[in-house]
């Protein structure tokens, strides 16, 4: 599915497909086929998990260290919630977390980033056989 945001001055998600997302910023586009963390302030790094069952509290502690207003967790092709114990670091810093499937997370990230909010999207990109 192609996503067409209004012209954003921040890193945005241009497209999404089974097993990938397309990122864009400053006229450059990149297709990513691994789990990734992106942020409205230019944050971007691989998120070391390919399956929901691999998530740990440390994955969410990484997100808390970025100190965003809000984390959008894209849980893959279907909606799944992380255990509350994994979210302690986010809660201690009063950082909000919204969980949704990855496609919904992509759309939501674009809207919030376009509003100028400091938002992080942690997107699980699952292998096709997941």
């Amino acid at each position: 599915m192609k996503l067409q945001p209004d012209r954003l001055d921040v890193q945005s998600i241009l497209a999404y497909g089974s097993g990938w997302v397309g990122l864009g910023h400053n006229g450059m586009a990149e297709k990513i086929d691994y789990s990734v963390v992106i942020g409205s302030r230019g944050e971007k790094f691989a998120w070391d998990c390919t399956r929901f069952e691999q998530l740990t509290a440390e994955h969410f502690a990484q997100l808390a260290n970025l100190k965003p207003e809000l984390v959008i967790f894209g849980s893959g092709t279907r909606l799944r919630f992380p255990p509350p114990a994994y979210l302690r670091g986010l809660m201690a810093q009063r950082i909000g977390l919204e969980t949704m499937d990855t496609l919904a997370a992509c759309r939501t990230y674009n809207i919030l980033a376009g509003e100028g909010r400091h938002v992080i999207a942690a997107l699980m990109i699952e292998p096709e056989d997941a």
Side-chain angles (χ1 to χ4, degrees), residues 53-76:
E53 298 74 25
Q54 294 175 329
L55 287 171
T56 66
E58 182 56 35
H59 287 100
F60 293 92
Q62 280 182 303
L63 306 175
N65 289 337
L66 299 172
K67 301 191 185 320
E69 291 176 52
L70 177 68
V71 171
I72 302 167
F73 170 51
S75 62

Side-chain angles (χ1 to χ4, degrees), residues 97-119:
L97 175 87
E98 292 292 333
T99 300
M100 51 196 77
D101 66 61
T102 296
L103 179 55
C106 290
R107 293 188 305 258
T108 304
Y109 167 83
N110 278 351
I111 292 167
L112 296 175
E115 291 175 349
R117 306 226 359 230
H118 184 205
V119 61

Side-chain angles (χ1 to χ4, degrees), residues 9-127:
D9 293 327
V10 297
Q11 181 169 241
S12 62
I13 300 168
L14 304 175
Y16 173 92
S18 179
W20 62 275
V21 293
L23 301 182
H25 187 54
N26 293 331
M28 304 294 289
E30 177 182 7
K31 186 174 182 179
I32 298 197
D33 60 0
Y34 51 85
S35 296
V36 65
V37 172
I38 66 164
S40 58
R41 294 188 179 164
E43 302 92 344
K44 184 181 91 177
F45 58 89
W47 208 34
D48 186 28
C49 55
T50 57
R51 299 193 188 288
F52 183 81
E53 298 74 25
Q54 294 175 329
L55 287 171
T56 66
E58 182 56 35
H59 287 100
F60 293 92
Q62 280 182 303
L63 306 175
N65 289 337
L66 299 172
K67 301 191 185 320
E69 291 176 52
L70 177 68
V71 171
I72 302 167
F73 170 51
S75 62
T77 57
R78 60 191 176 95
L79 179 62
R80 294 169 286 191
F81 294 92
Y86 290 6
L87 310 178
R88 285 191 180 118
L90 292 168
M91 290 187 285
Q93 294 185 53
R94 302 180 60 90
I95 297 169
L97 175 87
E98 292 292 333
T99 300
M100 51 196 77
D101 66 61
T102 296
L103 179 55
C106 290
R107 293 188 305 258
T108 304
Y109 167 83
N110 278 351
I111 292 167
L112 296 175
E115 291 175 349
R117 306 226 359 230
H118 184 205
V119 61
I120 295 292
L123 306 173
M124 288 208 64
I125 307 297
E126 299 171 301

